[in-house]
Amino acid sequence: QVEFVESGGGLVQAGGSLRLSCGSAGSDFDINFMAWYRQGPENQRELVASMTSGGIVYYLDSVQGRFTISRDNAKNTFYLTMNNLKSEDTAVYYCHANVRMKNTGRIARSWGQGTQVTVSS
């Protein structure tokens, strides 16, 4: 089982910035796919940004140009940098990763525990 832990959420004023991190202590896998989702108080969970191992990225239209997904392969960690935050970005943010185990080739999926991002207007 591969566990990813999130950090970096908090309270920020509109127009401010935050960086979320999603990392794992393990190193016996390669990350094939990574993503950030969010779920607001009255909304379904939605995909905010994703990146494949080949570097193909996707962004939700409403965050395009403001959010950036990135990774640090050496640390098995990926990030979501959020700039010019708006009140509608308020949500619990979850990271998600698909990994391939190096020894068996087995695919494992992991979700972070969620971190609250609150943007005050």
Side-chain angles (χ1 to χ4, degrees):
Q1 183 176 355
V2 177
E3 181 179 2
F4 280 83
V5 178
E6 301 179 33
S7 62
L11 174 64
V12 63
Q13 288 187 331
S17 300
L18 284 173
R19 190 177 79 158
L20 307 182
S21 300
C22 183
S24 175
S27 61
D28 54 346
F29 57 85
D30 295 312
I31 301 176
N32 286 348
F33 174 82
M34 64 205 77
W36 290 93
Y37 289 76
R38 69 185 181 189
Q39 186 166 13
E42 300 179 6
N43 301 325
Q44 292 184 331
R45 190 174 295 190
E46 62 180 355
L47 176 62
V48 175
S50 66
M51 179 186 289
T52 68
S53 56
I56 298 173
V57 297
Y58 160 85
Y59 293 103
L60 184 67
D61 284 348
S62 61
V63 309
Q64 181 77 43
R66 300 187 297 121
F67 290 12
T68 303
I69 187 171
S70 61
R71 66 185 294 177
D72 185 331
N73 291 332
K75 296 181 179 179
N76 272 337
T77 299
F78 56 102
Y79 308 92
L80 183 69
T81 302
M82 305 182 292
N83 296 321
N84 191 21
L85 282 160
K86 304 176 180 181
S87 57
E88 51 262 42
D89 296 318
T90 295
V92 177
Y93 284 71
Y94 299 89
C95 65
H96 170 68
N98 287 355
V99 306
R100 180 181 296 275
M101 308 306 293
K102 292 181 179 179
N103 56 350
T104 64
R106 183 178 66 88
I107 300 296
R109 296 174 176 82
S110 177
W111 286 91
Q113 79 282 9
T115 186
Q116 177 69 45
V117 172
T118 302
V119 184
S120 63
S121 57

